[in-house]
């Protein structure tokens, strides 16, 4: 029971309600964690705070079309796989979508089985299941430096921060799993040990501190990500 298999999380962006609900239902039946929104600005807000394994993105959206949304996502240096959906079937759209950083493209009406296959392929391709990397006592990223043994860190402003034992342990665990989601259960086992049950809020508070120390903008974190309902993820870049 060390590693619970975590569900891949998908963000579905579709303004037609019936299709949105159909997609959600079918993806959930395939055991994905599904979040839905019906407009582009909501996507940009959401991906600042949450990690997704894939975005299914309709092109024809009110206000901001899917291609503009994709472009904005890539400008934030977010490499989440994007599968475009479009009612239009012109190769110009397809080329435009892929040029702006989309990974794949499906034309409506699509075959559901084909959609599920493409979703699965994109997620697998992106998922690098790594075993924990063993890391040295000192670790550097983005101008910050952590010394796990000394329980201290140089923050984004070059200030020395003392870390509590648990802070150091949580940082080490997340960094050992760089690029991977670490589940809450796993964090509780490794950092807090058995028979102690801090609330989710406790872990959240640790993450908020890490963002204060190491993020240039703690409201749109680049390194310390929350994955709703699952856990947390550290990315160095
Ligand atoms: Ca639409």
């Amino acid at each position: 029971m060390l590693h619970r298999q975590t569900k891949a999380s998908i963000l579905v962006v579709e303004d037609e309600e019936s299709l949105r609900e159909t997609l959600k239902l079918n993806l959930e039946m395939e055991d994905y964690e599904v979040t839905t929104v019906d407009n582009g600005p909501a996507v940009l807000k959401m991906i600042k705070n949450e990690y997704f394994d894939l975005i299914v993105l309709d092109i024809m959206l009110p206000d901001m079309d899917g291609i503009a949304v994709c472009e904005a996502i890539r400008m934030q240096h977010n490499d989440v796989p994007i599968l475009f959906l479009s009612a239009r079937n012109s190769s110009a759209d397809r080329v435009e979508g892929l040029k702006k950083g989309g990974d794949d493209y499906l034309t409506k009406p699509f075959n559901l089985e084909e959609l599920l296959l493409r979703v699965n392929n994109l997620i697998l391709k992106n998922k690098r299941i790594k075993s924990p990397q063993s890391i040295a006592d000192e670790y550097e990223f983005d101008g910050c430096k952590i010394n796990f043994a000394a329980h201290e860190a140089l923050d984004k402003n070059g200030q020395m921060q003392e870390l509590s034992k648990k802070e150091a342990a949580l940082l080490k665990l997340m960094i050992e799993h760089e690029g991977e989601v670490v589940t809450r259960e796993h964090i509780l086992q490794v950092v807090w040990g058995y028979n102690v049950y801090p609330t989710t809020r406790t872990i959240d508070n640790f993450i908020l501190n890490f963002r204060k120390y190491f993020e240039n903008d703690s409201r749109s974190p680049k390194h310390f990500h929350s994955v709703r309902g699952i856990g947390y993820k550290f990315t160095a870049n």
Side-chain angles (χ1 to χ4, degrees):
M1 69 164 285
L2 272 177
H3 269 285
R4 198 187 68 175
Q5 200 68 29
T6 56
K7 288 185 181 186
S9 60
I10 299 177
L11 178 60
V12 172
V13 192
E14 170 60 68
D15 58 321
E16 276 166 65
E17 192 183 357
S18 60
L19 181 55
R20 190 168 66 237
E21 291 310 311
T22 304
L23 285 168
K24 180 173 162 71
L25 186 74
N26 282 280
L27 289 167
E28 283 177 347
M29 276 169 23
E30 298 290 309
D31 217 22
Y32 295 114
E33 184 92 33
V34 182
T35 307
T36 61
V37 293
D38 63 3
N39 68 87
V43 178
L44 300 180
K45 210 170 141 195
M46 193 156 260
I47 59 162
K48 284 186 179 173
N49 300 310
E50 286 186 44
Y51 169 82
F52 295 98
D53 292 291
L54 174 73
I55 299 180
V56 177
L57 181 57
D58 186 28
I59 287 186
M60 300 273 266
L61 294 168
D63 303 330
M64 185 180 192
D65 73 28
I67 289 173
V69 174
C70 175
E71 199 173 14
I73 290 171
R74 295 301 184 235
M75 279 173 68
Q76 296 179 13
H77 305 291
N78 188 325
D79 292 328
V80 57
I82 293 175
L83 170 62
F84 278 121
L85 298 181
S86 175
R88 297 180 285 190
N89 188 13
S90 84
S91 60
D93 262 3
R94 185 188 170 93
V95 168
E96 186 67 5
L98 297 176
K99 243 170 54 186
K100 296 298 183 190
D103 297 276
D104 205 350
Y105 192 103
L106 259 184
T107 305
K108 296 179 192 172
F110 50 81
N111 174 303
L112 194 57
E113 216 166 320
E114 185 181 1
L115 173 99
L116 296 174
L117 273 174
R118 285 181 191 236
V119 162
N120 192 39
N121 284 344
L122 282 171
I123 289 176
L124 284 182
K125 209 169 84 182
N126 190 47
K127 220 168 207 148
R128 292 153 293 162
I129 308 282
K130 292 180 276 179
S131 44
Q133 310 161 14
S134 62
I135 50 173
D137 275 345
E138 284 209 323
Y139 180 82
E140 286 189 55
F141 70 101
D142 202 9
C144 303
K145 195 192 264 185
I146 299 168
N147 187 322
F148 299 105
H151 292 179
E152 59 188 27
L154 271 181
D155 69 13
K156 61 190 181 204
N157 301 317
Q159 303 277 327
M160 190 63 81
Q161 298 286 345
E162 271 191 47
L163 304 172
S164 70
K165 200 174 154 198
K166 288 204 175 355
E167 280 183 322
L170 179 53
L171 276 173
K172 187 155 192 225
L173 178 67
M174 292 182 75
I175 289 167
E176 281 172 347
H177 290 270
E178 202 260 315
E180 269 183 88
V181 178
V182 185
T183 64
R184 286 206 178 95
E185 289 84 352
H186 193 52
I187 290 173
L188 295 182
Q189 276 180 14
V190 173
V191 180
W192 273 268
Y194 292 97
N195 305 321
V196 184
Y197 301 102
T199 61
T200 295
R201 188 166 288 256
T202 310
I203 305 178
D204 281 340
N205 286 337
F206 275 69
I207 301 293
L208 290 179
N209 279 341
F210 295 163
R211 288 182 184 154
K212 261 188 262 166
Y213 300 155
F214 305 119
E215 299 279 3
N216 285 320
D217 179 359
S218 58
R219 292 171 66 189
S220 69
K222 276 171 60 192
H223 304 296
F224 293 89
H225 311 275
S226 304
V227 186
R228 190 160 78 177
I230 302 175
Y232 304 88
K233 184 172 105 154
F234 169 80
T235 52
N237 299 303

